[in-house]
Amino acid sequence: MSGKVAAFASYGVVLRNVQWSWSGITPSGEVVVTLWIDEFNYRDTPATYSNQNSRDFQEWVSSLGNLERIENLKIARDKHAGIFRVIVIKAVSETTYPRTIAEAYPRHNIIMRLVEFDENTGKFKAELVENAHRT
């Protein structure tokens, strides 16, 4: 089982497609989203995440992974007050596009909330809601 698949499985998520899915839904209906580690901003209070300035936007805007993530973020926004769970992913190279995943790990202690979301492009910004010390 790949790192990404195992990370999603730790939340009980079975991916729609192990190759291109970037998000999923838990059996209880929670949304889980992959977030690139280098797109977090810990200088903000609370910490934020944004893909709004992604250099490879044109590469992923029409991808199946992004289209599925848009649908899942709509669920987070409409049914869960914007709240979603996190899998942190690290790129093999942060400057090579399209990116490939070097590592993926669940962060059960991190809960994020959408604060900006363009459902036409999939660009979004989220803020840290909780960073509890749970396993």
Side-chain angles (χ1 to χ4, degrees), residues 50-111:
S50 176
N51 69 358
Q52 295 171 322
N53 296 315
S54 293
R55 288 186 224 154
D56 61 338
F57 172 70
Q58 293 303 322
E59 297 285 330
W60 57 260
V61 67
S62 61
S63 71
L64 294 174
N66 186 48
L67 298 175
E68 179 186 31
R69 181 177 60 192
I70 289 169
E71 293 307 310
N72 289 336
L73 287 174
K74 285 181 190 177
I75 292 169
R77 179 194 64 198
D78 298 342
K79 296 185 177 184
H80 303 289
I83 300 293
F84 62 91
R85 303 299 219 143
V86 174
I87 293 172
V88 173
I89 53 177
K90 182 177 181 185
V92 171
S93 168
E94 293 176 359
T95 59
T96 302
Y97 300 100
R99 289 179 166 198
T100 55
I101 297 172
E103 297 176 66
Y105 46 98
R107 292 298 306 265
H108 294 275
N109 62 320
I110 295 178
I111 299 172

Side-chain angles (χ1 to χ4, degrees), residues 3-37:
K4 179 179 80 169
V5 173
F8 275 104
S10 76
Y11 288 102
V13 174
V14 176
L15 292 173
R16 183 181 300 171
N17 184 291
V18 297
Q19 295 296 325
W20 54 254
S21 287
W22 303 345
S23 61
I25 306 292
T26 70
S28 65
E30 290 182 290
V31 175
V32 182
V33 179
T34 56
L35 303 178
W36 293 109
I37 195 166

